[in-house]
Amino acid sequence: TLKERLEILLSAEDRAGDLARALVYEGLAYASLVIPEVADTPKPIDDAMRWGFNHEAGPFETWDLLGVAATVERMRAAGFEPAPWVDAMLKKGYTSFYRNGDVYHPAKEAYLPIEAGTPRVVLSHVRKSGGVIASNPSATLLDLGDGVACVEFHTKMNTLDEDIGRMVDEALTRVDADFEGLVIGNDADNFSAGANLFLVVMNAQAGQWDALEAMLGGLQDLHMRMRYFHKPVVVAPAGLALGGGAEMMMHASRVVAAAELYTGLVEIGVGVIPAGGGTKEMLRRILNPAMRTPNADHLPSLQRIFDQVGAAKVAESAEQALAHFTVARPQLVVTDLRMGGMDGIALFDAIRAENPA
């Protein structure tokens, strides 16, 4: 964890440890000293460091991880003095900058609720509140409320396997009877790194063609069921959505994508071709418009598909993905930077757009 990594660095008894302590402790002291000059509470400073510099935690979140009181002692021993309000907070018996969804306000010497921004769906909260409908080793089906269900992956790198396929299939069956729509997404850094290509290659090398055909046929059937499902299926990708993850995304009714999205059909990189319906979708999206246009030259569109699939090209943002997978702008909503959860408003709007009733 981040806490464990920091503790290892800060406890190192060498020059690297001296450097780590100087950088971290001076950073924490400086962050405390700029309140209230640049912000009234620690939260905007933490947000700026995470969103602007891609830190895993802001300075005050880091301070909480390490323990505020103990870290203050170590800072002073190293010659770095925190702002006086930190001592005042500790004297009042407050031992952290964040507590139960509240943040400490130095001027008011009290915790205040963190103002809610755009409503977001945080799946860990849904699980804790009893929203689990079904679960297996690779995926969980959740009830998000308002008639919307959600499939969450939890394999390593969210790679697709048979259990995920079974859960999505079960989710579609349950949505057919009891819900208005389905979201496929998760709070992990990556939506899905793709199908288990190692298993594909091993089956091919062993000549287990029946098993391979059953696996690929099941994936194709699942994606086609999603594509033609009579209720909306919204996919919410962020981070990596590669190979099978990209193919699942392409078969959704709507895509609500985080701005930071890396997606493409990359299977050729390990010597196999996309087999979950992705090449069919590329033809449908890129070649078909040219085929339906009188006197249009079809070859450039076909060359573009061969180039993207054959070179395993990856779109490096949601905006690039628009051009990567389509000719015309598709039905896709791009959220702003993904900050700790799926964008609830965009997800539910996508459901309503597909099924206004």
Side-chain angles (χ1 to χ4, degrees):
T1 66
L2 177 60
K3 178 178 183 293
E4 292 166 340
R5 298 198 304 271
L6 285 169
E7 287 174 343
I8 291 170
L9 282 172
L10 295 173
S11 63
E13 297 181 357
D14 55 17
R15 292 176 63 197
D18 292 339
L19 177 61
R21 284 185 288 274
L23 290 172
V24 172
Y25 294 157
E26 184 172 11
L28 299 183
Y30 177 74
S32 69
L33 290 167
V34 297
I35 292 179
E37 179 184 355
V38 301
D40 293 326
T41 71
K43 189 172 188 310
I45 297 173
D46 285 338
D47 289 345
M49 296 306 293
R50 282 187 285 101
W51 301 343
F53 295 90
N54 202 31
H55 288 193
E56 287 188 52
F60 296 100
E61 293 166 329
T62 300
W63 213 333
D64 275 357
L65 282 175
L66 297 173
V68 177
T71 302
V72 166
E73 291 182 9
R74 290 192 290 267
M75 289 167 62
R76 286 202 169 101
F80 301 102
E81 186 70 22
W85 66 263
V86 177
D87 287 325
M89 182 188 81
L90 293 171
K91 287 178 181 178
K92 289 181 71 70
Y94 300 146
T95 59
S96 64
F97 301 107
Y98 295 92
R99 186 179 70 180
N100 299 326
D102 298 337
V103 63
Y104 185 74
H105 193 299
K108 298 181 178 180
E109 297 188 333
Y111 288 95
L112 299 180
I114 295 174
E115 294 182 7
T118 302
R120 294 184 178 275
V121 178
V122 181
L123 297 183
S124 60
H125 297 172
V126 176
R127 288 195 300 273
K128 290 177 182 177
S129 63
V132 176
I133 302 170
S135 184
N136 66 32
S138 300
T140 300
L141 178 61
L142 302 167
D143 185 349
L144 301 184
D146 290 342
V148 180
C150 175
V151 174
E152 177 190 21
F153 307 156
H154 38 76
T155 55
K156 183 177 181 180
M157 295 289 287
N158 288 327
T159 52
L160 305 179
D161 61 11
E162 291 184 2
D163 278 340
I164 285 178
R166 280 190 284 267
M167 185 57 68
V168 174
D169 198 48
E170 178 182 349
L172 293 171
T173 299
R174 288 181 180 249
V175 168
D176 186 27
D178 302 323
F179 293 89
E180 300 301 320
L182 175 67
V183 173
I184 301 176
N186 51 70
D187 287 336
D189 291 336
N190 299 297
F191 171 71
S192 175
N196 189 340
L197 294 182
F198 177 76
L199 183 60
V200 172
V201 173
M202 291 298 292
N203 281 333
Q205 290 177 340
Q208 296 177 344
W209 308 116
D210 290 342
L212 188 58
E213 184 175 355
M215 180 173 62
L216 297 179
L219 182 61
Q220 293 166 3
D221 291 344
L222 177 65
H223 286 165
M224 292 304 285
R225 187 183 182 194
M226 287 173 52
R227 173 153 173 70
Y228 291 104
F229 197 62
H230 67 103
K231 292 183 178 180
V233 178
V234 176
V235 171
L240 299 180
L242 303 176
E247 291 175 314
M248 181 169 285
M249 182 181 72
M250 285 193 279
H251 287 84
S253 310
R254 293 287 192 279
V255 175
V256 179
E260 188 167 346
L261 177 67
Y262 303 88
T263 183
L265 301 177
V266 298
E267 288 88 343
I268 199 70
V270 294
V272 297
I273 63 170
T279 50
K280 174 266 299 177
E281 280 297 302
M282 297 290 278
L283 290 168
R284 185 183 71 81
R285 292 155 175 258
I286 296 172
L287 182 60
N288 279 10
M291 296 291 289
R292 291 194 299 266
T293 303
N295 303 317
D297 186 358
H298 311 147
L299 186 58
S301 298
L302 193 59
Q303 286 176 323
R304 175 183 160 190
I305 296 169
F306 271 99
D307 181 43
Q308 288 184 194
V309 177
K313 289 187 175 179
V314 174
E316 296 179 354
S317 70
E319 286 293 336
Q320 282 189 16
L322 298 178
H324 191 85
F325 290 122
T326 63
V327 174
R329 188 177 181 87
Q331 298 167 322
L332 187 149
V333 179
V334 180
T335 70
D336 60 3
L337 288 177
R338 187 168 178 270
M339 303 162 187
M342 295 183 294
D343 187 321
I345 292 295
L347 290 173
F348 285 81
D349 282 350
I351 291 286
R352 295 188 186 103
E354 184 72 12
N355 188 15

Short mmCIF file of all heavy atoms in Angstrom, two decimals, residues 3 7 26 53 70 116 128 131 144 147 149 170 174 176 180 184 190 225 233 241 276 328 334 355:
data_model
loop_
_atom_site.label_atom_id
_atom_site.label_comp_id
_atom_site.label_asym_id
_atom_site.label_seq_id
_atom_site.Cartn_x
_atom_site.Cartn_y
_atom_site.Cartn_z
N LYS A 3 0.82 3.63 2.14
CA LYS A 3 1.33 3.83 3.50
C LYS A 3 2.58 2.99 3.75
O LYS A 3 3.59 3.49 4.26
CB LYS A 3 0.24 3.45 4.50
CG LYS A 3 0.65 3.57 5.96
CD LYS A 3 -0.52 3.23 6.87
CE LYS A 3 -0.17 3.40 8.34
NZ LYS A 3 0.83 2.42 8.80
N GLU A 7 6.41 4.40 4.45
CA GLU A 7 7.09 4.08 5.70
C GLU A 7 8.45 3.45 5.44
O GLU A 7 9.42 3.72 6.16
CB GLU A 7 6.22 3.16 6.55
CG GLU A 7 5.02 3.88 7.17
CD GLU A 7 4.08 2.93 7.88
OE1 GLU A 7 4.16 1.70 7.62
OE2 GLU A 7 3.26 3.41 8.69
N GLU A 26 9.35 18.45 4.36
CA GLU A 26 9.28 19.86 3.95
C GLU A 26 7.99 20.10 3.17
O GLU A 26 7.35 21.16 3.31
CB GLU A 26 10.49 20.25 3.10
CG GLU A 26 10.49 21.73 2.73
CD GLU A 26 11.78 22.18 2.06
OE1 GLU A 26 12.59 21.32 1.68
OE2 GLU A 26 11.95 23.40 1.92
N PHE A 53 -0.98 16.73 -10.43
CA PHE A 53 0.34 16.12 -10.48
C PHE A 53 0.30 14.60 -10.42
O PHE A 53 1.33 13.93 -10.32
CB PHE A 53 1.21 16.65 -9.33
CG PHE A 53 1.51 18.12 -9.44
CD1 PHE A 53 0.67 19.06 -8.86
CD2 PHE A 53 2.60 18.58 -10.17
CE1 PHE A 53 0.92 20.42 -8.95
CE2 PHE A 53 2.86 19.93 -10.28
CZ PHE A 53 2.02 20.86 -9.67
N ALA A 70 2.52 11.58 15.24
CA ALA A 70 3.85 10.96 15.14
C ALA A 70 4.68 11.63 14.06
O ALA A 70 5.90 11.82 14.23
CB ALA A 70 3.69 9.47 14.85
N ALA A 116 -20.36 18.19 -1.51
CA ALA A 116 -20.49 17.21 -2.61
C ALA A 116 -20.39 17.92 -3.94
O ALA A 116 -20.96 18.99 -4.14
CB ALA A 116 -21.82 16.48 -2.50
N LYS A 128 -21.14 -2.00 0.68
CA LYS A 128 -21.28 -1.90 2.13
C LYS A 128 -22.74 -1.68 2.56
O LYS A 128 -23.14 -2.06 3.65
CB LYS A 128 -20.41 -0.77 2.68
CG LYS A 128 -18.91 -1.06 2.60
CD LYS A 128 -18.10 0.12 3.08
CE LYS A 128 -16.61 -0.15 2.96
NZ LYS A 128 -15.79 1.02 3.36
N GLY A 131 -25.89 -3.69 -1.35
CA GLY A 131 -26.37 -3.67 -2.73
C GLY A 131 -25.94 -4.85 -3.57
O GLY A 131 -26.16 -4.85 -4.79
N LEU A 144 -27.66 -0.49 -8.10
CA LEU A 144 -27.31 0.92 -7.89
C LEU A 144 -28.51 1.75 -7.48
O LEU A 144 -28.35 2.94 -7.17
CB LEU A 144 -26.70 1.50 -9.17
CG LEU A 144 -25.45 0.84 -9.73
CD1 LEU A 144 -24.95 1.61 -10.94
CD2 LEU A 144 -24.37 0.71 -8.68
N GLY A 147 -33.55 1.47 -10.40
CA GLY A 147 -33.78 0.51 -11.46
C GLY A 147 -32.55 0.19 -12.30
O GLY A 147 -32.68 -0.32 -13.41
N ALA A 149 -28.82 -1.77 -12.55
CA ALA A 149 -27.89 -2.76 -12.02
C ALA A 149 -26.49 -2.48 -12.56
O ALA A 149 -26.33 -1.74 -13.53
CB ALA A 149 -28.34 -4.17 -12.40
N GLU A 170 -25.80 -13.39 -16.63
CA GLU A 170 -26.81 -13.43 -15.57
C GLU A 170 -27.40 -12.04 -15.34
O GLU A 170 -28.61 -11.89 -15.11
CB GLU A 170 -26.19 -13.95 -14.27
CG GLU A 170 -27.18 -13.97 -13.10
CD GLU A 170 -26.57 -14.45 -11.79
OE1 GLU A 170 -25.43 -14.96 -11.81
OE2 GLU A 170 -27.23 -14.29 -10.74
N ARG A 174 -31.32 -10.87 -15.41
CA ARG A 174 -31.99 -10.21 -14.28
C ARG A 174 -32.52 -8.84 -14.68
O ARG A 174 -33.61 -8.43 -14.25
CB ARG A 174 -31.03 -10.09 -13.10
CG ARG A 174 -30.75 -11.43 -12.40
CD ARG A 174 -29.81 -11.23 -11.23
NE ARG A 174 -29.51 -12.48 -10.55
CZ ARG A 174 -29.94 -12.80 -9.32
NH1 ARG A 174 -30.71 -11.94 -8.66
NH2 ARG A 174 -29.60 -13.93 -8.76
N ASP A 176 -33.47 -7.99 -17.60
CA ASP A 176 -34.64 -8.25 -18.45
C ASP A 176 -35.91 -8.32 -17.61
O ASP A 176 -36.97 -7.83 -18.01
CB ASP A 176 -34.42 -9.57 -19.19
CG ASP A 176 -35.53 -9.86 -20.20
OD1 ASP A 176 -36.13 -8.89 -20.70
OD2 ASP A 176 -35.80 -11.04 -20.48
N GLU A 180 -34.27 -1.50 -15.20
CA GLU A 180 -34.46 -0.67 -16.39
C GLU A 180 -33.21 -0.62 -17.27
O GLU A 180 -33.29 -0.24 -18.43
CB GLU A 180 -34.83 0.76 -15.97
CG GLU A 180 -36.11 0.86 -15.17
CD GLU A 180 -37.29 0.30 -15.92
OE1 GLU A 180 -37.39 0.52 -17.14
OE2 GLU A 180 -38.12 -0.40 -15.30
N ILE A 184 -21.90 -1.56 -16.88
CA ILE A 184 -20.73 -2.40 -16.71
C ILE A 184 -19.55 -1.47 -16.46
O ILE A 184 -19.15 -0.70 -17.33
CB ILE A 184 -20.47 -3.28 -17.95
CG1 ILE A 184 -21.69 -4.16 -18.24
CG2 ILE A 184 -19.23 -4.15 -17.75
CD1 ILE A 184 -21.56 -4.99 -19.51
N ASN A 190 -8.20 0.47 -14.00
CA ASN A 190 -8.37 0.02 -15.38
C ASN A 190 -9.69 -0.73 -15.55
O ASN A 190 -10.01 -1.63 -14.76
CB ASN A 190 -7.22 -0.91 -15.78
CG ASN A 190 -5.88 -0.21 -15.70
OD1 ASN A 190 -5.64 0.76 -16.42
ND2 ASN A 190 -5.01 -0.67 -14.83
N ARG A 225 -25.45 -10.43 -27.56
CA ARG A 225 -26.62 -10.26 -26.70
C ARG A 225 -26.65 -8.84 -26.13
O ARG A 225 -27.73 -8.23 -26.04
CB ARG A 225 -26.59 -11.29 -25.57
CG ARG A 225 -27.87 -11.28 -24.74
CD ARG A 225 -27.85 -12.25 -23.58
NE ARG A 225 -29.14 -12.20 -22.88
CZ ARG A 225 -29.37 -12.71 -21.69
NH1 ARG A 225 -28.40 -13.34 -21.03
NH2 ARG A 225 -30.56 -12.62 -21.14
N VAL A 233 -27.61 -0.88 -22.12
CA VAL A 233 -26.40 -1.40 -21.48
C VAL A 233 -25.33 -0.32 -21.62
O VAL A 233 -24.89 -0.01 -22.72
CB VAL A 233 -25.92 -2.71 -22.12
CG1 VAL A 233 -24.63 -3.19 -21.45
CG2 VAL A 233 -27.00 -3.78 -22.04
N ALA A 241 -8.72 -0.16 -21.57
CA ALA A 241 -9.85 -0.94 -22.09
C ALA A 241 -9.33 -1.56 -23.39
O ALA A 241 -9.59 -1.08 -24.48
CB ALA A 241 -11.07 -0.07 -22.35
N GLY A 276 -13.58 -11.29 -30.36
CA GLY A 276 -14.80 -11.08 -29.59
C GLY A 276 -15.79 -10.18 -30.28
O GLY A 276 -16.68 -9.63 -29.64
N ALA A 328 -18.34 8.87 -37.96
CA ALA A 328 -19.13 9.94 -37.35
C ALA A 328 -18.99 9.86 -35.84
O ALA A 328 -18.64 8.82 -35.29
CB ALA A 328 -20.59 9.80 -37.76
N VAL A 334 -18.28 11.83 -22.63
CA VAL A 334 -16.97 11.88 -22.00
C VAL A 334 -17.10 12.66 -20.69
O VAL A 334 -17.47 13.83 -20.69
CB VAL A 334 -15.92 12.56 -22.90
CG1 VAL A 334 -14.58 12.59 -22.20
CG2 VAL A 334 -15.81 11.81 -24.22
N ASN A 355 -33.71 4.86 -22.73
CA ASN A 355 -35.00 4.31 -22.33
C ASN A 355 -35.76 5.38 -21.54
O ASN A 355 -35.85 5.29 -20.32
CB ASN A 355 -34.78 3.05 -21.48
CG ASN A 355 -36.08 2.33 -21.20
OD1 ASN A 355 -37.10 2.58 -21.82
ND2 ASN A 355 -36.03 1.43 -20.22
#
